[in-house]
């Protein structure tokens, strides 16, 4: 029997293993799989903890519903009914600017205004800034198709204020990255298409709004779909349920793969605490920085290109407070903080306002604070006491919260956020070419074709399908 070894049990590796397990159940018994994970738990960055009635997210707290792969996987493993939309009644995102929280104007799609009156009334952008954003309607398209940073693109089309107060904290924040080095082509190709096809982001968004089919009412017996989705018991429900569908004898936990060697038509996988293992095909579903280490003996160019994909560190701090200790009303789902504000934290999500089922009862609220990212990576290394002190000082300054939290949890993700910097697509092209020279080797995960959970699931599924096709040749 042929064997596919999957290295890395994050959501990408789990999606790959699940695809292979399903194929086996459907009668493709001649291909077996083995999933190897360094930690004692599966799920990677998708990590949910249940503590005293709180549902706490250490990594992602949602996925984009427009990308179908996460909801599809949820349906396949039987947890479609647990899909959870955001709380409609508390909607709204705020931006800290000049020390005050300003609501993002209604009709702002990604970073593009599509409704004149709410945009005109918004206190976030100054009048000169608003007029500059409207220039987008008349400015010529960029010539040529060279890559451009997110910062250059937004400044060119919408002006500096839109970059600093909207695009950089909101869009750049998704990657915890630096808008000045982030490749537009790799991270947000949709903006490029909008400029190419409509000559203006505002015109493109207005056209997209007109063309959009009226929102289908949610099926009576199904979940209510919102832009962002999660699960009743948190994002961890997805990897947890996928893992339960796998044969536990085909999952090795607590084993770090140290190297892979080519052996005949296949590979030899070496790791700590395990005998070398033969693999007929190999899916490396770790971040690129780890894949570079694992594959260092396989191909030096591949290793070098994988190493060139930078990763930054970030942390999330979840704090619970008694509702009666919060003196100012909290509005919306939370707020983002532009770099120019010079704060130490990047964003705050009011988890229990954004989602149902996150707190034991209404007498408490749960919030999540983002630390680190490209601008403040050093802060991720603060010890727990220093981290809490720093975060509480920021919350006191911004929200006036002085109370002692009744619960605190800190999650650090060192070098855990891949950055799609300028040249990312060219790097991927070279990586793909090298992979073609090494039949049976596939990469999956957030470092390559999309950082979000749905993209990671898609990449894992596709890697497994390619491995199967290769072995059946
Ligand atoms: C704080 C934070 C918030 C986020 N928020 C969101 C969000 O709201 N929505 C969203 O869609 N995305 C979000 N993301 C991104 C998303 O969580 C990740 O991109 C995604 O979970 C990555 O999955 P993965 O399987 O590719 O990698 P990982 O989850 O990193 O899994 C890789 C696995 O490989 C293992 N591994 C590494 N080296 C080895 C080795 N040598 N041997 C064996 N195993 C190894 C690791 O232990 C890990 O379990 C967030 C990320 C972070 C850090």
């Amino acid at each position: 029997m042929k064997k596919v070894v999957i290295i890395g049990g994050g959501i990408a590796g789990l999606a790959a293993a699940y695809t292979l397990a399903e194929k086996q159940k459907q009668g493709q018994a001649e291909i077996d799989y083995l999933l190897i994970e360094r930690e004692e738990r599966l799920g990677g960055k998708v990590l949910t903890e249940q503590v005293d009635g709180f549902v706490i997210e250490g990594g992602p707290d949602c996925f984009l519903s427009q990308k179908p792969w996460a909801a599809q996987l949820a349906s396949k493993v039987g947890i479609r009914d647990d899909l959870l939309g955001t709380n409609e009644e508390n909607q709204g995102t705020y931006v800290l600017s000049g020390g005050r929280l300003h609501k993002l104007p209604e009709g702002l799609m990604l970073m593009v205004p599509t409704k004149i009156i709410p945009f005109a009334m918004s206190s976030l952008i100054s009048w000169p800034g608003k007029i500059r954003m409207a220039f987008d309607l008349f400015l010529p398209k960029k010539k040529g198709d060279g890559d451009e940073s997110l910062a250059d693109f937004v400044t060119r089309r919408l002006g500096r204020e839109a970059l600093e107060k909207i695009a950089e904290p909101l869009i750049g924040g998704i990657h915890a990255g630096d808008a000045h080095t982030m490749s537009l082509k790799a991270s947000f190709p949709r903006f490029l298409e909008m400029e190419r096809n409509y000559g203006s982001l505002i015109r493109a968004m207005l056209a997209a709004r007109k063309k959009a089919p009226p929102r289908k009412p949610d099926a009576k017996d199904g979940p209510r779909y919102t832009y962002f989705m999660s699960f009743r018991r948190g994002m961890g429900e997805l990897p947890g349920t996928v893992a339960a569908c796998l044969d536990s004898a085909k999952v090795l936990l607590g084993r770090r793969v140290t190297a892979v060697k080519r052996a005949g038509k296949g590979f030899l996988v070496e790791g700590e605490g395990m005998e070398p293992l033969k693999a007929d095909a190999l899916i490396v579903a770790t971040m690129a920085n780890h894949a570079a280490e694992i594959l260092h003996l396989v191909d030096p160019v591949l290793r070098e290109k994988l190493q060139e994909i930078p990763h930054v560190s970030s942390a999330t701090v979840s704090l619970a407070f008694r509702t009666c200790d919060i003196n100012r009303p909290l509005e919306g789902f939370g707020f983002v903080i532009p770099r120019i504000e010079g704060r130490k934290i990047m964003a705050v999500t009011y988890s229990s306002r954004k989602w149902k089922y996150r707190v034991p009862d209404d007498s408490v609220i749960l919030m999540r604070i983002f630390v680190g990212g490209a601008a403040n990576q050093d802060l991720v290394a603060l010890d727990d006491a220093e981290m809490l002190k720093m975060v509480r000082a920021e919350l006191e300054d911004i929200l006036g919260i002085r109370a002692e939290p009744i619960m605190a949890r800190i999650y650090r993700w060192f070098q855990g956020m891949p950055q799609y910097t300028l040249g990312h697509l060219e790097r991927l092209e070279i990586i793909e070419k090298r992979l073609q020279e090494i039949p049976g080797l596939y990469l999956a995960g957030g470092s390559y074709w999309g950082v979000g959970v749905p993209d990671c699931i898609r990449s894992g599924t596709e890697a497994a399908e390619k491995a199967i096709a290769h072995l059946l040749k």
Side-chain angles (χ1 to χ4, degrees):
M1 195 189 296
K2 302 259 170 86
K3 186 183 269 179
V4 182
V5 170
I6 303 151
I7 305 173
I11 195 66
L14 281 167
Y18 178 78
T19 307
L20 286 152
E22 282 303 287
K23 286 279 164 13
Q24 224 178 20
K25 276 190 208 147
Q26 291 157 12
Q28 222 157 60
E30 68 268 34
I31 300 181
D32 204 0
Y33 69 92
L34 180 75
L35 175 63
I36 309 177
E37 165 56 47
R38 174 181 73 169
E39 305 290 333
E40 292 294 344
R41 55 167 278 277
L42 293 168
K45 295 193 187 83
V46 186
L47 164 62
T48 306
E49 283 194 297
Q50 324 271 342
V51 182
D52 301 334
F54 292 99
V55 174
I56 305 162
E57 301 285 16
D61 76 340
C62 61
F63 64 86
L64 261 184
S65 61
Q66 278 169 343
K67 300 198 171 195
W69 308 287
Q72 280 169 0
L73 183 59
S75 292
K76 285 189 207 160
V77 298
I79 53 169
R80 179 174 169 268
D81 288 348
D82 283 356
L83 281 165
L84 179 69
T86 45
N87 277 336
E88 241 154 53
E89 62 276 18
N90 296 332
Q91 269 185 17
T93 299
Y94 286 70
V95 179
L96 186 74
S97 179
R100 273 182 49 221
L101 292 174
H102 304 257
K103 192 173 186 190
L104 273 181
E106 193 201 326
L108 194 85
M109 289 167 76
L110 290 170
M111 58 183 173
V112 184
T114 62
K115 288 189 182 170
I116 295 175
I117 295 185
F119 179 64
M121 308 278 287
S122 165
S123 60
L124 176 62
I125 304 279
S126 69
W127 272 108
K130 285 175 185 160
I131 293 166
R132 174 62 187 84
M133 284 176 85
F135 279 11
D136 167 72
L137 288 163
F138 316 107
L139 285 170
K141 304 181 203 181
K142 179 173 165 265
K143 293 201 181 84
D145 70 346
D147 204 354
E148 193 177 14
S149 73
L150 174 68
D152 284 348
F153 175 80
V154 178
T155 314
R156 181 166 65 72
R157 294 250 40 115
L158 300 166
R160 176 155 290 279
E161 211 176 324
L163 169 72
E164 289 175 344
K165 294 187 181 168
I166 303 177
E168 179 260 314
L170 214 61
I171 317 271
I174 297 171
H175 292 247
D178 177 352
H180 293 272
T181 57
M182 197 179 281
S183 153
L184 186 74
K185 256 188 183 176
S187 313
F188 305 101
R190 196 170 152 210
F191 287 133
L192 265 186
E193 274 166 37
M194 283 161 50
E195 183 183 38
R196 204 174 296 139
N197 298 340
Y198 291 87
S200 142
L201 301 179
I202 299 176
R203 269 203 296 273
M205 277 298 187
L206 290 172
R209 230 181 47 187
K210 246 191 221 156
K211 262 199 242 157
R215 209 183 134 192
K216 275 194 265 167
D218 294 312
K220 276 201 189 88
D221 59 343
R224 184 178 55 83
Y225 280 91
T226 52
Y227 191 72
F228 296 114
M229 296 295 289
S230 180
F231 294 90
R232 208 183 150 104
R233 277 167 284 152
M235 286 295 288
E237 204 178 327
L238 185 60
T241 314
V242 174
C245 297
L246 305 177
D247 178 347
S248 58
K250 294 176 184 175
V251 178
L252 280 185
L253 293 178
R255 306 283 198 288
R256 189 174 78 89
V257 172
T258 48
V260 165
K261 289 176 185 156
R262 292 184 82 172
K265 284 188 178 169
F267 305 90
L268 200 65
V269 180
E270 296 176 349
E272 284 165 1
M274 59 187 242
E275 290 294 310
L277 277 168
K278 277 170 82 173
D280 300 289
L282 189 68
I283 298 173
V284 182
T286 65
M287 294 282 105
N289 43 6
H290 296 143
E293 279 169 35
I294 292 168
L295 296 171
H296 71 279
L297 299 174
V298 171
D299 182 300
V301 177
L302 183 61
R303 177 199 192 182
E304 189 191 310
K305 289 292 147 190
L306 290 169
Q307 271 172 337
E308 279 176 19
I309 300 175
H311 290 68
V312 301
S313 302
S314 62
T316 61
V317 180
S318 279
L319 300 178
F321 293 97
R322 270 184 286 268
T323 315
C324 60
D325 286 340
I326 309 271
N327 299 325
R328 271 189 233 165
L330 302 179
E331 287 173 307
F333 290 158
F335 58 92
V336 294
I337 306 178
R339 253 188 213 200
I340 43 163
E341 290 295 303
R343 309 277 356 174
K344 292 190 171 136
I345 58 175
M346 285 191 279
V348 177
T349 301
Y350 308 138
S351 312
S352 52
R353 286 178 59 82
K354 188 173 174 188
W355 308 104
K356 285 199 173 71
Y357 315 117
R358 295 298 178 254
V359 284
D361 58 59
D362 287 348
S363 68
V364 281
I365 84 134
L366 179 66
M367 58 175 78
R368 193 157 95 119
I369 298 97
F370 291 79
V371 177
N376 275 319
Q377 291 202 69
D378 296 349
L379 294 176
V380 179
L382 290 179
D383 69 26
D384 285 4
E386 290 166 335
M387 177 83 84
L388 277 180
K389 193 170 160 208
M390 181 275 286
V391 164
R392 287 187 59 197
E394 292 286 90
L395 289 184
E396 181 173 345
D397 259 15
I398 301 168
L399 296 173
I401 299 175
R402 292 214 176 99
E404 187 79 31
I406 56 168
M407 189 276 311
R409 281 282 181 289
I410 301 172
Y411 304 87
R412 296 180 181 79
W413 302 105
F414 289 105
Q415 298 292 301
M417 263 295 197
Q419 303 293 297
Y420 296 179
T421 52
L422 290 166
H424 184 74
L425 293 183
E426 288 73 20
R427 275 191 285 281
L428 290 188
E429 217 173 283
I430 301 174
I431 289 173
E432 290 283 329
K433 276 202 187 119
R434 299 307 292 189
L435 288 175
Q436 278 164 20
E437 304 294 314
I438 314 168
L441 175 63
Y442 308 94
L443 298 174
S447 296
Y448 312 106
W449 297 106
V451 290
V453 168
D455 284 309
C456 294
I457 292 172
R458 183 188 53 168
S459 76
T461 308
E462 285 179 0
E465 282 163 356
K466 285 185 198 161
I468 294 169
H470 165 71
L471 294 179
L472 291 180
K473 255 197 275 185

